[in-house]
Amino acid sequence: MQQYYSPDKGFSKEPESYWIASTDTTNYPALEEDITVDVAIVGGGITGITTGCLLKRAGLKVAIMEADRIARGTSGHTTAKITSQHGLIYDKIATQIGMKKAKRYAQSNEKAIKLIASIIEKINIDCDFKWQDAYVYTQSDDYIEKIKKEVGIAQCLGIKASYTTDLPLPFPIKAAIRFEKQAKFHPRKYLLKVAQYIDGDGSYIFENTNVVGIEREKQCSVVAENGKRITASKIIIASLFPFSNFRGLYFSRMFQERSYIVAIKAKSKFPEGMYINAEKPTRSMRSHPFGDGEILLVAGEHHKTGRGKDENVHYKNLIDFADKNFGIEGILCRWSAQDCTTPDSIPYIGNITPNYPDIYVATGFKKWGMTTGAVSAMILRDLIVKGNNSWAEVYDPSRFIETGSILTFIKQNLDVAMNFVSGKFPTGSPAGKIEKGEGKIVNVAGQKIGAYRDEKGKLHLIDTTCTHMGCELKWNDAEKTWDCPCHGSRFSPTGEVIDSPAFEPLDKIEIDN
């Protein structure tokens, strides 16, 4: 196992997801001609692929379009827990929307776990699926009563939950909640097999197909960057962030966060179960089969996109935690993920707005996309095939912002405004020496310019103004990206879009170097 981190020298290898590194690269074609299907799906992650599977089972012809390769985005950078336990959420949402709707939220997520298990069984997928209990624990007296209350609410909602003060972890805890029969798996082994089931018999998967617009005449058409289009009766936007974000103003109704994961070979065996703490900083833990043994995944350290000071510190903190509690023999991989969160922490699943009954969206999964992606698939299938779904009201994208989340909504948009204004002041390092692999914002004649020198020594200069709404970008040294602190867009070192809501690349500044 490669040891590519030392306290003295730092990291010698760029971030890479274990799920991607341990599976083959896909090779589906790009969209090169106009086609017609029943449902066009934008996004080739767990939401798009699971929805495509259910719709094809229902007899519809579908086409999935992915800007990169399928299952390489958020679905390829997850902790891959399949759980209805989403932190201490049930008391919160019961207070916000009432017990009746909270029960539907619980039921839908419990059903999602069973859906994934049934697809694995029916298609016969070898993806390291395993049933396990999931725990939220605390080491703080401040959370004991909150956990007790969460247990009571969860039990009332029909979840098999229980309270405990004893866990097989190498450190003491004050209290914990246990959810029975949750699960974990290898997400890409699962999704690549489901994709094979979808492709063919009038259904399609297209990779390297960047969607840039939707046109509505007699029927809807999804238009790719090369001008080719897919015409369909229904369109589903299943990308992390809706690319058509001015329909519904989703950029103002969600915020995006980065979180970090390290995969290590531990000196001690990890106990059965999946674990996450209630307090900050977050520490999420689970094991995964690796050869004849296992690896330990430790995740956490989340922050709003573009707000981190030195992103490598987050990896180091997770490594220090793992070494202190389990001992490290080697570090296999490290990677980060991007997640969207709504003001009330409940995803948006349904019509993108009431004015567009033929366009659907699924977004805002927070950090629980494996389960919520499956929830989305069931709701969207029913809305398209049957015209209704009993859970849909809970996730309605047009729902009123409940009183409990109004302050979150206001605070988020104030943060955006403050970052927009502060980014316009002429700060930044003066132009000077930039090492290979290094990026920084430099001040040239009073103008802020993003500078990055690649491994071949070529200097790339870009305008650091985000092409979404004009916020000023910040350099992310751990991922080698330009990140937007306002709405979470991310760009490559040379300005290409990595994460929405932006979909136009950064302006490049050409010089001789």
Side-chain angles (χ1 to χ4, degrees):
M1 180 178 295
Q2 184 175 5
Q3 182 72 36
Y4 66 90
Y5 168 75
S6 70
D8 296 330
K9 297 181 179 179
F11 295 97
S12 60
K13 183 180 176 183
E14 295 300 322
E16 181 182 35
S17 162
Y18 171 74
W19 313 125
I20 295 174
S22 59
T23 47
D24 294 333
T25 301
T26 52
N27 191 32
Y28 290 99
L31 178 66
E32 297 292 351
E33 61 182 3
D34 296 346
I35 65 169
T36 299
V37 293
D38 297 311
V39 183
I41 301 172
V42 181
I46 190 164
T47 303
I49 291 174
T50 309
T51 306
C53 174
L54 298 190
L55 290 173
K56 183 169 182 177
R57 275 190 191 174
L60 301 182
K61 292 178 169 55
V62 303
I64 296 175
M65 291 147 286
E66 170 57 47
D68 184 24
R69 299 290 183 185
I70 61 169
R72 287 182 62 91
T74 304
S75 296
H77 291 81
T78 173
T79 55
K81 295 179 179 179
I82 314 170
T83 175
S84 60
Q85 185 187 80
H86 300 166
L88 301 180
I89 192 174
Y90 288 101
D91 178 47
K92 175 184 175 181
I93 64 175
T95 301
Q96 288 180 173
I97 63 177
M99 287 292 288
K100 184 177 180 180
K101 290 182 181 179
K103 187 168 186 176
R104 291 176 182 172
Y105 181 94
Q107 289 173 338
S108 63
N109 280 277
E110 285 284 295
K111 182 69 174 178
I113 303 171
K114 297 174 182 177
L115 172 69
I116 292 173
S118 70
I119 291 174
I120 290 169
E121 182 178 0
K122 288 178 181 179
I123 303 180
N124 191 26
I125 305 174
D126 181 7
C127 60
D128 305 316
F129 179 89
K130 185 175 182 180
W131 295 102
Q132 277 200 330
D133 294 342
Y135 300 85
V136 180
Y137 69 89
T138 185
Q139 295 179 284
S140 168
D141 291 332
D142 295 340
Y143 283 85
I144 294 175
E145 291 304 316
K146 292 179 181 179
I147 285 178
K148 287 181 179 179
K149 191 171 184 180
E150 186 79 0
V151 171
I153 294 291
Q155 289 174 342
C156 289
L157 298 177
I159 295 172
K160 292 183 178 179
S162 57
Y163 178 82
T164 182
T165 57
D166 184 29
L167 292 180
L169 293 171
F171 46 79
I173 67 153
K174 300 280 188 178
I177 181 172
R178 172 194 180 200
F179 276 27
E180 295 181 24
K181 206 171 185 184
Q182 309 295 289
K184 62 183 183 179
F185 69 160
H186 190 303
R188 273 181 57 87
K189 287 182 179 179
Y190 169 77
L191 290 171
L192 299 191
K193 279 292 187 181
V194 179
Q196 290 177 7
Y197 165 82
I198 296 169
D199 191 45
D201 299 322
S203 291
Y204 307 87
I205 291 178
F206 298 106
E207 295 183 323
N208 295 318
T209 300
N210 187 30
V211 174
V212 296
I214 295 174
E215 295 181 357
R216 299 174 78 237
E217 294 178 356
K218 291 182 179 179
Q219 281 191 304
C220 285
S221 292
V222 178
V223 184
E225 193 171 35
N226 64 359
K228 302 302 179 183
R229 66 186 58 221
I230 298 177
T231 300
S233 299
K234 305 290 184 181
I235 293 173
I236 296 171
I237 301 175
S239 49
L240 171 67
F241 201 106
F243 75 93
S244 183
N245 64 81
F246 285 96
R247 290 183 175 98
L249 299 176
Y250 286 87
F251 65 86
S252 69
R253 301 168 58 206
M254 295 190 295
F255 62 90
Q256 299 199 66
E257 287 188 326
R258 305 293 297 166
S259 55
Y260 302 82
I261 305 173
V262 293
I264 68 162
K265 184 73 174 178
K267 292 180 180 178
S268 58
K269 182 172 176 56
F270 189 73
E272 283 290 310
M274 302 177 290
Y275 303 84
I276 189 170
N277 61 336
E279 59 268 33
K280 300 291 187 297
T282 300
R283 295 291 180 261
S284 170
M285 299 167 284
R286 59 154 288 198
S287 62
H288 190 79
F290 182 75
D292 295 331
E294 65 179 13
I295 55 174
L296 170 61
L297 306 184
V298 181
E301 293 284 311
H302 63 87
H303 63 82
K304 286 186 178 180
T305 302
R307 309 289 179 89
K309 293 183 179 180
D310 178 1
E311 285 77 6
N312 278 311
V313 168
H314 302 296
Y315 289 114
K316 294 173 185 175
N317 290 341
L318 295 176
I319 290 169
D320 290 344
F321 172 84
D323 195 29
K324 175 183 177 181
N325 291 290
F326 303 98
I328 294 178
E329 288 186 358
I331 301 172
L332 187 66
C333 289
R334 62 174 174 131
W335 66 96
S336 64
Q338 180 122 324
D339 300 289
C340 298
T341 301
T342 67
D344 59 6
S345 297
I346 299 173
Y348 297 132
I349 307 168
N351 288 118
I352 192 166
T353 76
N355 296 327
Y356 294 93
D358 44 8
I359 303 176
Y360 301 84
V361 69
T363 187
F365 297 169
K366 204 171 181 179
K367 302 183 187 305
W368 309 103
M370 296 296 97
T371 320
T372 314
V375 171
S376 301
M378 291 184 285
I379 292 175
L380 296 174
R381 174 203 56 195
D382 287 354
L383 292 178
I384 290 171
V385 175
K386 303 176 183 178
N388 62 79
N389 175 279
S390 61
W391 307 325
E393 183 184 6
V394 177
Y395 298 94
D396 183 4
S398 300
R399 65 183 179 268
F400 178 72
I401 298 175
E402 301 293 340
T403 303
S405 60
I406 285 176
L407 290 178
T408 303
F409 177 82
I410 293 172
K411 182 179 183 297
Q412 164 61 17
N413 284 281
L414 282 175
D415 283 350
V416 169
M418 290 180 67
N419 274 276
F420 179 84
V421 173
S422 64
K424 297 303 178 182
F425 290 103
T427 58
S429 304
K433 187 175 181 181
I434 298 176
E435 303 293 340
K436 291 180 179 180
E438 183 182 11
K440 64 172 65 172
I441 295 176
V442 299
N443 193 326
V444 179
Q447 181 181 357
K448 295 172 69 173
I449 295 174
Y452 170 75
R453 192 177 297 279
D454 64 27
E455 295 301 330
K456 295 181 179 179
K458 183 178 179 180
L459 185 66
H460 302 267
L461 300 180
I462 52 93
D463 184 343
T464 55
T465 302
C466 181
T467 56
H468 173 229
M469 291 191 72
C471 292
E472 291 298 316
L473 304 174
K474 296 184 179 180
W475 175 249
N476 177 337
D477 190 54
E479 267 66 53
K480 305 295 188 240
T481 57
W482 298 102
D483 297 353
C484 179
C486 291
H487 300 112
S489 298
R490 299 175 65 238
F491 302 83
S492 74
T494 55
E496 291 75 25
V497 177
I498 297 175
D499 283 314
S500 298
F503 60 87
E504 292 289 340
L506 300 175
D507 290 336
K508 297 183 180 181
I509 301 171
E510 298 295 337
I511 64 168
D512 294 326
N513 60 88

